[in-house]
Amino acid sequence: MDGKRIPSHIAELVLRVVRTVTLVSALMMVAGAIINYGFPLTSDQKDEVELFFRYVWIVFIIDRVLHIILDPGCRRTAFRGVSSGKNVLLLLTVLPLALPSLNFLGSSIFRNGVLLLLSVMELSNFLTHILGKRTNPSAVMAISFLVIILIGSLLLIMPNCTIPEVNLSWIDSLFTATSAVCVTGLVPIDVAATFTFSGQLIIILLIQIGGLGVMTLTSFFALFFMGEISVGNQMVVKDLISSESLSSIWSTLKHIIAFTFTLEIFGALLIWFSIHGTLGVGLDDEVFFSVFHAVSAFCNAGFSNFAQGLGNPLILDGNYLIFWTVAFLVIAGGIGYPVLVELKKAFARKIRRVSAFSINTRIVLGTTGILLVAGTVLLAVFEWNSAFAGRNAFWKVTQAFFNSVSPRTAGFISIDLTTFCAQSALVYMFLMWVGGASQSTAGGIKVNTLAVACLNVLAVMRGQSRIEIHNRELTRNSVHRANAVIVASILVLSVGILLASIVDPDLSLRAVAFECISAFGTVGSSLNATPLLTSAGKVIIMLLMFFGRVGILTIVASFFRPRGDRGYRLPKAEIM
């Protein structure tokens, strides 16, 4: 059959019908995978599900074949360029029919994995097309996070995701999913004692999605497997990932994905090397432990799938490498992708002088360095003969440094924070409030915001009307946004702490304030108050986690249509 002999309107109608059937099949494939792996099934039921998977497989093959026959553009790029990915994967699942010796490619595990991946790609492509219209990017971000949280909460309460003896309530499942997607780390339950391998795998996937950003992943997969997205979609993605131009979207997405997986793999190898043979578990568990903590650290999530987390005596007593590795991953994830790109160029000797770095990179690195050094020194001074007592000097320095990195939105717990003095708790809360850098996996008001606000104060004290740094003048918009973020965060935290103290009157104000700031900063550190929260208290903390991850200004902006300044100026007025 030749596509040229078929009227274009008929070919278009056929492809539209096939596309609809494929989209429905993709959605049902995802649902079937959830049922197959999330619920206990009899052998007959598993056979029926497997038969359904074969139906989806046939639908995908028909979809590809018809597109190659009826769509000249698809035929020209069938096996070249980024759009060939889908065809290559499907071809690999078909090859065993002609070459039975390719046992692995013919296995149901490989085929179902490919089908599930392609189904997610189809749904992602459909989503990007839906969002291609005039959509508020702020609303897109907020809604996408909310949808993933709800889906994650439903997945976590599946029977195969929890240990049989554990009765996980939906509010705790929703709380855990919110904490994972918002890369916070606060959980009302023990992850290791509550979730099976499947449940922990879902948690780490939610953390990865939350750390990278839903639209970042969706856009990357759509571009990689589908070849292109509409101009409207590109405008949405450009705003979400702060790309400089439409032409640089693909490059920006590739850098984000490449940095994420490269650093996570490198970190996982170092973690495995540091704990190999020390935890009393098998090789499979060691590998999963390493991957879980590497992803959790780089995404600044603070989740641990080991009993007592990094505070377990098997890890805490003398295992220094894991703490320095986790701290490195937290810092790398918290300084932001633009900074990582410039550091990569510096290592490649494309940037030979510090002055060649952008203002943003110099501000992020400088402010981050000051906070890390100050936090390490203060915690060491306050806790040297208190919470750190009875240990050698290197152990104390390691823990002081680690606990100055962790509140920068990571939230890993190595020492019971209730043993810290009030001064250390204040340092912790300040670091949690500040968080990491913009365009990173970290939360908080961001070091960029703090730096601009401090420079503004310094300019006012000097009587200057302009803010200057490194031979550059900061724009008024930067100053306005920094002030808005700080004021909004204080207002939200004040309301959150007030409401949380009302619904949980048995908790001390120190514990409530610590919990709220930890949630808003997406940190995950706690004074052991999370399991004691009432249902109303958990809802408040979940809202703070959501506001902290998505951003106050982002959420507020999602309710307003962007509007520029008036074309005229009003008379000026001074406020005393």
Side-chain angles (χ1 to χ4, degrees), residues 430 433-434 444-457 478-494 520 551-553:
F430 175 75
W433 178 64
V434 175
I445 63 168
K446 304 294 190 297
V447 294
N448 318 59
T449 302
L450 177 67
V452 172
C454 290
L455 290 171
N456 185 32
V457 172
S478 298
V479 181
H480 292 166
R481 290 184 66 84
N483 292 338
V485 169
I486 290 176
V487 172
S489 69
I490 293 175
L491 289 175
V492 170
L493 282 173
S494 299
F520 181 79
I552 295 295
L553 298 186

Side-chain angles (χ1 to χ4, degrees), residues 40 165 170 195 319 378 427 476 532 543 558 575:
E165 296 78 15
W170 184 73
F195 296 103
N319 193 336
L378 289 174
V427 172
R476 289 186 177 182
L532 305 178
L543 289 174
S558 65
I575 302 296

Side-chain angles (χ1 to χ4, degrees), residues 12 60 142 178 212 246 249 291 355 382 385 443 464 480 518 564 575:
E12 184 179 348
F60 271 97
T178 304
L212 281 171
L246 290 179
I249 289 178
V291 173
S355 59
F382 294 143
N385 294 316
Q464 297 175 322
H480 292 166
S518 178
I575 302 296

Side-chain angles (χ1 to χ4, degrees), residues 382-544:
F382 294 143
E383 304 299 337
W384 194 269
N385 294 316
S386 182
F388 299 162
R391 303 280 187 164
N392 62 63
F394 186 64
W395 187 96
K396 293 179 180 180
V397 172
T398 298
Q399 290 304 316
F401 177 72
F402 182 79
N403 280 278
S404 70
V405 172
S406 190
R408 304 289 310 289
T409 84
F412 285 104
I413 302 295
S414 61
I415 297 175
D416 187 354
L417 297 182
T418 58
T419 63
F420 278 13
C421 64
Q423 293 78 12
S424 296
L426 286 174
V427 172
Y428 233 86
M429 284 190 278
F430 175 75
L431 293 176
M432 291 192 298
W433 178 64
V434 175
S438 300
Q439 286 184 263
S440 73
T441 59
I445 63 168
K446 304 294 190 297
V447 294
N448 318 59
T449 302
L450 177 67
V452 172
C454 290
L455 290 171
N456 185 32
V457 172
L458 187 61
V460 172
M461 293 173 63
R462 291 174 174 173
Q464 297 175 322
S465 60
R466 298 187 298 269
I467 301 176
E468 299 174 349
I469 182 173
H470 298 308
N471 297 320
R472 293 290 187 275
E473 179 183 338
L474 298 186
T475 64
R476 289 186 177 182
N477 183 53
S478 298
V479 181
H480 292 166
R481 290 184 66 84
N483 292 338
V485 169
I486 290 176
V487 172
S489 69
I490 293 175
L491 289 175
V492 170
L493 282 173
S494 299
V495 174
I497 293 172
L498 176 63
L499 294 177
S501 64
I502 293 174
V503 299
D504 285 297
D506 295 334
L507 296 177
S508 67
L509 185 60
R510 174 181 170 183
V512 170
F514 198 97
E515 195 84 5
C516 290
I517 296 174
S518 178
F520 181 79
T522 69
V523 180
S525 300
S526 175
L527 298 179
N528 300 332
T530 310
L532 305 178
L533 294 171
T534 60
S535 295
K538 291 176 182 176
V539 171
I540 293 172
I541 297 300
M542 282 190 286
L543 289 174
L544 287 174

Side-chain angles (χ1 to χ4, degrees), residues 23 28 32 60 80 89 130-131 186 218 220 231 252 259 310 320 324 331 336 411 423 469 499 515 533-534 550 553:
L23 186 63
M28 295 176 68
F60 271 97
R80 62 182 178 86
L89 288 175
I130 291 296
L131 297 175
L186 289 173
T218 298
F220 175 80
V231 175
T252 303
F259 273 119
L310 299 185
Y320 301 108
W324 289 97
I331 294 172
Q423 293 78 12
I469 182 173
L499 294 177
E515 195 84 5
L533 294 171
T534 60
V550 178
L553 298 186

